[in-house]
Amino acid sequence: MKIIHISAECYPIAKVGGLADVVGALPKYQNALGLKSSVIMPFYDNKFTADNTFVSVYKSQVLLNEVAHDFEVLILKENSLDFDVFFIDVPSLLFKDYVYSFDDTDRFLAFQIAALDWILTLDEKPNIFHCHDHHTGLVPFMLQESFKYESLNKIPVITTIHNAQYQGGFGYDKLGFIPEFDKENVGLLDWNGQINPLAAAIKCAWRVTTVSPSYMEELKLEANGLQDLLKAESQKCVGILNGIDAAVWNPEKDEYLISNFSEKNVNLGRGKNKKWLCETFNLDTSKPLFAFIGRLVYEKGSDLLPEVFQTILKEKNCSILLLGSGNKEVEEELKALKEEHKGNYDAFIGYDEKLSHIIYGGADFLLMPSRVEPCGLNQMYSLRYGTIPIVRSTGGLKDTVVDIANENGFGICHDEVTVAEIEHAIQRGITLYKDQDKFKKTRKYIMKIDHSWDASASEYIELYKSIN
Ligand code: ADP
Ligand code: GLC
């Protein structure tokens, strides 16, 4: 079976968040299970494209509002990834040093149209299109409705919602950008008077998945306005928990770590990583180290962190290290705490893949006080590396972390996203850390939990088979 994933991100080529990790891992696992899975993504101006050599396999023009933009389909001259990647290179629109910005509508429209134009020319068509998030949300609509793609409309298409907060809505002034279709069906594009690519995908895809079972249930109650649509389409919707790429996220081999380790020498290995973190960020090694890694946005609960940190740090019985970027006000508040709490706190405002790995391999606890978390990969990386997750029970966090007070529990969970509950959860972590015996046993236990893609990759295959 030939699967084509269509996505804006794919690790290690271009990553903003977890979408990249998923699209960079799932095809690999699917190929290992005997499928022929590949990825189509935009060709960005970034380190990966600068460091590699590409070969052109197709050249044409994509029409956007009657303006023709040259495009090429590129492949890697030497591909060391475990799956094929087809890059859509539209120099005038896509070749930018960012993935997302103010001009997403035009850029991703051009991307989707160029991708389908190219697929039209292929002798061997895919058996499944697997689209990810709203940036590829118009693919299911165009396959079903646009006259020029009629020959592709029997190919099943799946949309995976990684995050329903973002829907990519735009005005009807751009309706003409979409390749011609019967205007009687324009309602398929619509949600609340706008063209809404995510809504269109939910209406037109053959199956809609999201990245954890709990998030699927939550979406039917609250999906940034799309809850009623998801309820109405619920027979074709299913939640499949993401996995992690156990080859990339392997503490025994991870090249980013200061010291590699397994369950057997976890105390020693993690001790060295923690020491490096504490020396680098001027923190006290003897105290439990709490970390946060992520986008500083409302959904992640990051706006509450400055107040939480301010209170917790007054007691001077733990250290805190934050890695992230996003909301400028939150960034400033987090930076402002540095002076007062020197020696117990630091924040690295920015994106740093290597540092994130060392934090998973060296911090004692990872904070995820998310308001919304469709799946969350950070907690699964922490488990694999032996960092105890402290999470708000929502979405994928609810599906992957069991509170230590329960039978076979191993993490710390809270129900509400309030300063008081997050503080209380951190206090529980400090108490657990004092009981070194229990703390170390828990650490070993979580490292053995298998969240690799093996199980979920098969679930996707079953889903593909059910519509093929
Ligand atoms: P989301 O996709 O909503 O941001 P996920 O938990 O699914 O959340 O995935 C986040 C991914 O991005 C993880 O791989 C995490 O390690 C990484 N990440 C987030 N922020 C940073 C950062 N500032 N530096 C390095 N990696 C980061
Ligand atoms: C989104 C979600 C995150 C999920 C990721 C990968 O970015 O916010 O929870 O883990 O996609 O599916």
Side-chain angles (χ1 to χ4, degrees):
M1 201 187 295
K2 202 172 158 199
I3 317 298
I4 293 197
H5 291 271
I6 312 181
S7 172
E9 299 178 40
C10 176
Y11 182 83
I13 300 158
K15 169 166 167 176
V16 176
L19 169 63
D21 292 8
V22 170
V23 177
L26 180 56
K28 212 193 252 194
Y29 279 77
Q30 291 181 330
N31 285 340
L33 291 170
L35 267 60
K36 180 86 191 82
S37 188
S38 55
V39 173
I40 301 187
M41 67 179 298
F43 191 70
Y44 301 113
D45 179 6
N46 66 14
K47 186 164 178 342
F48 186 93
T49 57
D51 288 351
N52 286 278
T53 311
F54 298 84
V55 180
S56 173
V57 293
Y58 182 71
K59 259 190 195 154
S60 185
Q61 290 190 319
V62 58
L63 264 190
L64 206 62
N65 199 24
E66 288 168 23
V67 178
H69 297 263
D70 290 332
F71 85 89
E72 287 187 65
V73 179
L74 308 175
I75 56 169
L76 280 156
K77 190 166 178 208
E78 279 165 34
N79 185 355
S80 56
L81 305 169
D82 296 312
F83 50 91
D84 290 335
V85 184
F86 300 96
F87 296 86
I88 304 295
D89 181 19
V90 188
S92 56
L93 291 166
L94 290 175
F95 192 67
K96 308 277 177 185
D97 62 1
Y98 51 80
V99 174
Y100 309 118
S101 192
F102 64 95
D103 49 359
D104 284 359
T105 301
D106 291 15
R107 293 170 69 232
F108 289 111
L109 263 165
F111 168 59
Q112 295 171 86
I113 297 168
L116 293 185
D117 283 359
W118 169 61
I119 288 166
L120 267 184
T121 70
L122 297 179
D123 292 335
E124 206 191 322
K125 304 282 192 291
N127 303 100
I128 298 273
F129 287 109
H130 191 150
C131 302
H132 297 267
D133 271 350
H134 73 81
H135 323 100
T136 60
L138 293 173
V139 167
F141 172 85
M142 293 193 289
L143 287 172
Q144 182 181 305
E145 299 294 329
S146 289
F147 302 130
K148 74 166 163 172
Y149 303 128
E150 204 182 337
S151 64
L152 302 175
N153 75 10
K154 300 275 181 313
I155 303 176
V157 52
I158 289 181
T159 283
T160 294
I161 304 175
H162 294 262
N163 197 329
Q165 290 303 112
Y166 309 104
Q167 302 172 1
F170 58 93
Y172 277 94
D173 52 318
K174 294 197 169 165
L175 183 65
F177 289 28
I178 301 172
E180 218 178 313
F181 61 96
D182 181 350
K183 294 294 176 304
E184 285 212 347
N185 296 338
V186 71
L188 290 169
L189 291 171
D190 191 86
W191 200 254
N192 283 338
Q194 265 209 323
I195 296 177
N196 181 318
L198 192 65
I202 297 168
K203 293 178 199 178
C204 300
W206 295 31
R207 290 289 184 277
V208 175
T209 74
T210 186
V211 289
S212 70
S214 287
Y215 187 56
M216 189 84 249
E217 289 316 303
E218 289 165 11
L219 283 182
K220 290 178 199 158
L221 303 173
E222 156 55 34
N224 199 10
L226 298 184
Q227 51 278 7
D228 288 343
L229 177 60
L230 282 153
K231 249 187 273 168
E233 298 282 4
S234 63
Q235 325 86 292
K236 67 177 188 191
C237 295
V238 58
I240 300 180
L241 191 68
N242 282 337
I244 64 172
D245 188 333
V248 173
W249 296 93
N250 178 358
E252 288 183 54
K253 301 214 169 109
D254 187 332
E255 285 176 7
Y256 287 134
L257 291 183
I258 302 304
S259 174
N260 290 106
F261 58 91
S262 66
E263 288 137 55
K264 292 197 189 88
N265 61 352
V266 50
N267 296 337
L268 183 69
R270 288 187 55 91
K272 287 186 186 163
N273 291 312
K274 181 172 175 180
K275 186 163 174 276
W276 183 90
L277 287 171
C278 290
E279 280 170 8
T280 308
F281 292 98
N282 182 30
L283 304 168
D284 184 342
T285 335
S286 67
K287 295 177 184 167
L289 176 58
F290 293 78
F292 174 95
I293 300 173
R295 296 180 293 119
L296 301 175
V297 295
Y298 182 79
E299 285 176 287
K300 302 278 179 196
S302 58
D303 50 305
L304 301 184
L305 291 179
E307 195 181 334
V308 170
F309 292 172
Q310 177 69 322
T311 321
I312 289 283
L313 287 165
K314 280 202 176 116
E315 294 180 26
K316 297 196 184 304
N317 52 7
C318 70
S319 300
I320 297 178
L321 177 61
L322 175 138
L323 165 64
S325 63
N327 181 293
K328 295 296 159 214
E329 260 173 52
V330 175
E331 285 184 0
E332 287 312 313
E333 287 178 48
L334 288 164
K335 279 195 237 166
L337 292 176
K338 287 190 191 194
E339 190 53 39
E340 189 181 340
H341 299 290
K342 241 186 212 157
N344 285 315
Y345 167 79
D346 206 351
F348 182 100
I349 302 299
Y351 187 93
D352 191 321
E353 192 72 28
K354 177 178 167 75
L355 179 56
S356 76
H357 285 240
I358 304 174
I359 295 177
Y360 293 121
D364 298 301
F365 298 92
L366 186 90
L367 300 170
M368 293 185 78
S370 305
R371 290 191 174 85
V372 180
E373 196 62 81
C375 179
L377 298 171
N378 299 16
Q379 81 281 13
M380 298 201 261
Y381 299 147
S382 315
L383 292 171
R384 179 101 171 87
Y385 283 55
T387 302
I388 297 173
I390 300 186
V391 307
R392 188 228 169 179
S393 288
T394 186
L397 298 174
K398 196 167 160 183
D399 294 342
T400 51
V401 183
V402 180
D403 192 276
I404 196 158
N406 297 329
E407 204 185 332
N408 297 327
F410 48 82
I412 295 174
C413 302
H414 56 100
D415 291 327
E416 304 296 329
V417 188
T418 59
V419 170
E421 286 218 7
I422 304 169
E423 271 175 37
H424 178 67
I426 297 178
Q427 293 296 358
R428 286 183 66 203
I430 295 173
T431 308
L432 173 61
Y433 188 79
K434 283 187 189 141
D435 184 347
Q436 277 287 303
D437 194 35
K438 186 170 180 189
F439 173 75
K440 286 182 177 161
K441 267 193 198 137
T442 309
R443 192 149 85 173
K444 282 201 173 180
Y445 176 79
I446 61 179
M447 287 180 73
K448 287 192 219 119
I449 300 173
D450 181 9
H451 276 301
S452 74
W453 268 106
D454 288 321
S456 304
S458 314
E459 276 191 69
Y460 275 112
I461 294 178
E462 289 311 308
L463 185 70
Y464 299 155
K465 283 188 184 155
S466 72
I467 49 176
N468 210 260

